[in-house]
Amino acid sequence: VMKLKLNQSLAALLFSASVFTACAPVAEQTLSVTPVPMEVNWQRGSFRPDASTSLWIEAPEADRSILAEYLQASPLALKLADSQSGNQVVLKQTDALEGITSPEGYVLSVNSDGVRIEALSGAGLFYGVQTLLQMAADAPEGMTAVTVKDEPRFEYRGIMLDVSRHFRSKEFVKRQIDLLSYYKINRLHLHLTDAAGWRIEIKKYPRLTQFAAWRPQAVWKDWWNGKREYCEETDPRAQGGYYTQDDIRELVAYAQKHYVTIIPEIEMPSHSEEVLTAYPELSCTHVPYKQSDFCIGNEKTFEFLENVLTEVMELFPSEYIHIGGDEAGKASWPNCKLCQARMKKEGLKDVNELQSYSIHRMERFLNSHGRKLLGWDEILDGGLAPNATVMSWRGTEGGLAAIRSGHKAIMSPGQYCYLDGYQDAPYSQPEAIGGYLPLKKVYGYEPVPDSLSADEAKLMYGVQANLWTEYIPTEEHAEYMLYPRAIALAEVAWSKPENKSWEDFHRRALKIVDELKAKGYHPFELKNEIGNRKEAETPVEHLALGKKVTYNAPYWENYPAAGEATLTDGLRGGWNYNDQLWQGFVTKDRVDVVIDLEKETPIHSVAADFMQICGPEVFMPERVVISVSNDGKEFTQLAEIKHEVVRDDAVTFKNFGWEGEASARYIRYQALASDKFGGVLFTDEIVVK
């Protein structure tokens, strides 16, 4: 519960079924609303609606109809009145509200006459209603008089659902719209196409849904580890599905009634194996099952993409169309005659510029239809399209680069916003793709760094959390991974930093989990959270703490942790290398470092932890060698530790070390990878005692 400074402190918010009363002030007042509002002021008095309490709405007819239907179906079950009077919930759209600058802002007032919500738009009234509903649910006996003034921090507050890897029913999508809009999320990004399946009907290209939407395996992991084949919709083995165009119209209309914009993503120029198997002539080789990248030199590629997007735009009224743009391998482009001819004709110096050409061209097409292009941060490669907006997932650098070049950005860094990672100790959770993203870390994300100027910060369009579903085969599992983390993201997106408090949010989240279960959702059981790896909780004291480390083989620049200080800084890593405490090694010699203790020192143990997560190719070492020296030149081996590396589905940790009696100034620690599996080695600290 968010505790707020009060003008007059009164008893708890309550809402049930009788008449008006007055309350004596108490020492402190709380408001259980998520996301936490901007400003709360308490007054004396209270309001209790009875069966005669009615609803009065002053708003344009479209909004009036939506809000009336919504409130009549809500737990308040309010019926529209013929006239305005007391004992009412009044919604009024107005042209100006003091202190409110966003069209999604609102002012909610409770007094002895009833409830009044004013806003600059239908969306603002809707969000005021969500606050009212949460207050009502938290207070079954009546509501204390209060004024809530509130507006969002960011215009874009999004959640992405990947329906390609595992298809989700339209009923499931609607249930998530119900819940996400309750917490003031206003964008639902649907990842509709990828190698695992095409999920939207395109009339002009029927093979996309007759063939590319179906596979013999229901579970993505089985398909991925198998032959990665597709099958006909009529095949008895067929697993998958797609949304018909009528389904899409139904979902869009449903979202609009919740003031949610659905943004479709159609992948290009890569992640398109399913398309290029159904229509192999659009690839560089024209061979099915061989390519993931469209042939950019082929005019038929752009004819296909424009035809697809034309049908997509007819279905989705969203300002933005997401075109993916990420992880293009570009493997065939250097050897493709058509791609090379395109590069020569357009004066492009490399394949990055060829990708940029394709993005620019698609942006011009979208702009000509009154739409804007949205893409993952790889669309920066080779030059950003003039009017594009960047969704930054590979950290925050892409988004910041876009902002500094005058473009809008949506922050979605994997470290804070990828909900497919483990949310608790991996051994206690269903298998995930990796990572470790607990609720507290999502809640602690700050999208706007101090390095941005005030004008640059205005280009921070918003934030988005993503649920990729490779390892999430069921709808129940999807909800388990979404909630309550998506609700933490909702508060990051809506509430000002100065109003946030982890302790208060955590208390609210515990209650929200119980509420979600009562509504039939399947959230993570937050009260049973184990937390981070115990080694990561407390710095370790040891003889090598702060001592110089010489790297005979370099660490991986993609995962540097704290650089040369990492292995002797006393900090141990958590459940995953994404915490920036684990240092990665990928060279042939992997780990080969020497620690200088500065003087000859008696030592009794030397040890380091390693992790194994086979999905992202992170493996234990096959052999560890520990040696010592007094001159730094001639080393005596203390131990050689051999380990059989076996591929598995678990997240595991193992300590490789020596114990005994020795005296030395220099300690050399080597860890070598398996010839069979290779992969990355990660370690966090070499502990010397």
Side-chain angles (χ1 to χ4, degrees), residues 384-389 399-409 455-456 459:
L384 186 58
N387 302 307
T389 294
L400 296 179
I403 286 172
R404 289 179 176 126
S405 64
H407 293 259
K408 286 183 179 179
D455 286 340
E456 288 172 335
L459 292 172

Side-chain angles (χ1 to χ4, degrees), residues 86 141 175 220 262 296 380 391 435 486 500 551 565 570 586 670-671:
E141 295 181 0
R175 277 173 49 78
W220 174 89
I262 299 181
I296 305 305
L380 289 159
M391 190 169 277
K500 291 172 56 190
Y551 287 76
V586 292
Q670 298 167 270

Side-chain angles (χ1 to χ4, degrees), residues 120-137:
L120 305 180
S121 70
L125 291 175
F126 181 81
Y127 295 128
V129 166
Q130 305 316 306
T131 295
L132 172 63
L133 291 174
Q134 289 188 40
M135 291 165 63

Side-chain angles (χ1 to χ4, degrees), residues 551-555 585-593 670-674 677-681:
Y551 287 76
N552 297 327
Y555 53 80
F585 297 85
V586 292
T587 63
K588 178 179 179 295
D589 294 329
R590 295 303 195 277
V591 182
D592 185 357
V593 298
Q670 298 167 270
L672 302 175
S674 160
F677 296 113
V680 189
L681 296 188

Side-chain angles (χ1 to χ4, degrees), residues 513-532:
V513 166
D514 289 338
E515 292 170 353
L516 296 187
K517 288 160 58 180
K519 293 176 180 177
Y521 291 90
H522 303 83
F524 167 67
E525 191 63 86
L526 183 60
K527 67 183 180 183
N528 297 332
E529 184 178 21
I530 295 166
N532 203 358

Side-chain angles (χ1 to χ4, degrees), residues 49-68:
D50 58 20
S52 66
T53 303
S54 60
L55 175 65
W56 178 260
I57 303 175
E58 295 181 28
E61 181 54 37
D63 293 308
R64 185 174 186 273
S65 175
I66 289 171
L67 294 164

Side-chain angles (χ1 to χ4, degrees), residues 217-267:
Q217 298 85 9
V219 176
W220 174 89
K221 184 179 176 182
D222 296 336
W223 174 79
W224 185 259
N225 292 333
K227 296 181 180 179
R228 303 184 193 177
E229 292 180 336
Y230 309 98
C231 64
E232 299 293 336
E233 182 177 6
T234 55
D235 192 315
R237 304 172 300 161
Q239 302 286 337
Y242 62 91
Y243 303 110
T244 67
Q245 294 199 355
D246 283 343
D247 289 336
I248 294 294
R249 293 185 186 98
E250 183 179 336
L251 285 173
V252 167
Y254 192 83
Q256 288 174 332
K257 289 185 176 181
H258 293 73
Y259 295 89
V260 169
T261 299
I262 299 181
I263 296 176
E265 179 179 354
I266 306 297
E267 283 276 13

Side-chain angles (χ1 to χ4, degrees), residues 38-112:
M38 179 174 66
E39 183 180 322
V40 177
N41 292 287
W42 302 95
Q43 289 87 37
R44 292 183 180 276
S46 65
F47 173 68
R48 293 183 186 175
D50 58 20
S52 66
T53 303
S54 60
L55 175 65
W56 178 260
I57 303 175
E58 295 181 28
E61 181 54 37
D63 293 308
R64 185 174 186 273
S65 175
I66 289 171
L67 294 164
E69 180 183 349
Y70 187 86
L71 274 165
Q72 286 168 359
S74 77
L76 297 181
L78 297 175
K79 296 181 179 179
L80 274 172
D82 296 328
S83 62
Q84 187 173 352
S85 64
N87 193 20
Q88 278 188 333
V89 173
V90 175
L91 310 183
K92 182 178 181 180
Q93 186 169 327
T94 185
D95 294 331
L97 279 173
E98 183 180 354
I100 298 298
T101 59
S102 166
E104 295 178 301
Y106 64 91
V107 175
L108 180 154
S109 300
V110 178
N111 58 38
S112 57

